[in-house]
Amino acid sequence: MRYNPLGRTGLFVSELCLGTMTFGSAGRFAAIAGLDQSESDALVKAAIDAGINFIDTANVYSEGMSEQITGQALRNLGIARDQVVIATKAMGPMGEGPNDRGASRYHLMNQVEASLKRMQLDHIDLYQIHGWDAATPIEETLLALDNLVQRGLVRYIGVSNWAAWTIMKALGVSERLGLARFASLQAYYTIAGRDLEREIVPMLRSEGVGLMVWSPLAGGLLSGKYSREGDKTDGRRAVFDFPPVDQERAYDAIDVMKAIAEAKGATVAQIALAWLLHQPAVSSVIVGAKRPDQLADNIGATKVDLTADELAKLEAVSKLPAEYPGWMLQFQGMYRAEQLNQKRR
């Protein structure tokens, strides 16, 4: 297990992060949840034993049950608090009232206290805004988060599912006001869904923001269970067809991954995860499971090294189609790129 700095912070996190959306059995994510305390304890133990030091949850997962189970698992297993990095998120609806959602100071102050109580912790290592809130000014959100950092309730802050321009705006506000800055973005990224490479990845690398990847197997599509000719009525995708994927392009990638997996004695899922682990912008890949064998297979991806030739084949089959302004930037930028390459020689 390798450990990477989270963005430009001094915090090191394991290249795989244990996701806990499967913990609990309530709410809008019930279709992919269902694990009780003992089943969740087993997954946490397996993750820690494998060297994973990073656990991600959210207040909306199973309506708070995921946070509760996560915190209890740490106690049941006797895991020292300073040996694990705990991340959670807030923004989604946690009640019926108009202020029971969003990234307002009101909601965040209430929710951080509720999350700490559920997890039986005195601080959260990474507190993330779980989506874009068009109703709250960025300044209000950042001032509230900075206050939580100053009070010691939160160590680092991040976001999930934000556009590149909104993250850049937030970073500028943080610098202008001297506030805590976002350390990370949690976003969807797979070999079957590389959209964030257009704007978000260049921004992350330019500004030193870490990337945590959610749904790295595209909702199970890249697990090895699915093919063009296979049964589409079984598995998670049959009951929760998310995230959206261009399935023909995905199947093209799966065909190439199958050949690489067979040659390496690995699984398709391991190749999909290994591809992500080879991407420079990625700090940690979030893996979730319902069974210990699924988690063990995911962890096995850390031992899969892809050759330059294999990476080239995967790049060719999964690359994004050209889109403006990317193709124009490349065209106009080649003159300066040639100068830089000449200098390096």
Side-chain angles (χ1 to χ4, degrees), residues 249-266:
R249 291 183 66 233
Y251 290 139
D252 288 342
I254 289 170
D255 290 341
V256 175
M257 289 192 292
K258 279 183 177 178
I260 294 174
E262 288 172 4
K264 289 184 173 295

Side-chain angles (χ1 to χ4, degrees), residues 40-57:
S40 302
D41 287 358
L43 289 182
V44 173
K45 184 179 188 306
I48 297 296
D49 288 347
I52 291 175
N53 76 339
F54 199 14
I55 300 176
D56 178 74
T57 185

Side-chain angles (χ1 to χ4, degrees), residues 191 194 197 275 310-320:
I191 195 168
R194 298 175 58 178
E197 292 179 3
W275 181 84
E310 289 164 342
L311 287 168
K313 289 179 181 177
L314 293 170
E315 168 66 21
V317 77
S318 67
K319 66 181 179 181
L320 293 170

Side-chain angles (χ1 to χ4, degrees), residues 118-180:
R118 282 191 289 265
M119 293 190 288
Q120 305 176 68
L121 301 177
D122 63 359
H123 72 274
I124 294 163
D125 297 305
L126 176 65
Y127 200 48
Q128 303 156 99
I129 303 302
H130 203 177
W132 173 248
D133 178 9
T136 303
I138 286 180
E139 290 83 355
E140 177 178 341
T141 299
L142 291 171
L143 283 163
L145 291 172
D146 186 74
N147 180 267
L148 296 178
V149 172
Q150 298 303 321
R151 290 168 58 192
L153 299 179
V154 169
R155 299 284 172 85
Y156 300 92
I157 59 173
V159 290
S160 179
N161 303 321
W162 278 31
W165 74 267
T166 57
I167 298 173
M168 278 302 304
K169 181 175 180 178
L171 293 176
V173 171
S174 291
E175 183 171 351
R176 175 167 56 87
L177 299 181
L179 306 176

Side-chain angles (χ1 to χ4, degrees), residues 22-103:
T22 56
F23 295 7
S25 58
R28 62 185 299 197
F29 302 108
I32 56 176
L35 299 187
D36 62 19
Q37 186 68 57
S38 62
E39 292 168 321
S40 302
D41 287 358
L43 289 182
V44 173
K45 184 179 188 306
I48 297 296
D49 288 347
I52 291 175
N53 76 339
F54 199 14
I55 300 176
D56 178 74
T57 185
N59 61 355
V60 294
Y61 295 168
S62 290
E63 299 178 347
M65 288 178 63
S66 176
E67 286 185 327
Q68 184 177 339
I69 289 172
T70 298
Q72 191 59 47
L74 300 180
R75 287 181 171 264
N76 291 347
L77 298 169
I79 297 170
R81 181 64 184 90
D82 61 358
Q83 296 303 303
V84 64
V85 177
I86 300 296
T88 192
K89 301 181 282 292
M91 196 208 76
M94 291 298 289
E96 298 301 320
N99 292 309
D100 290 331
R101 64 203 67 204

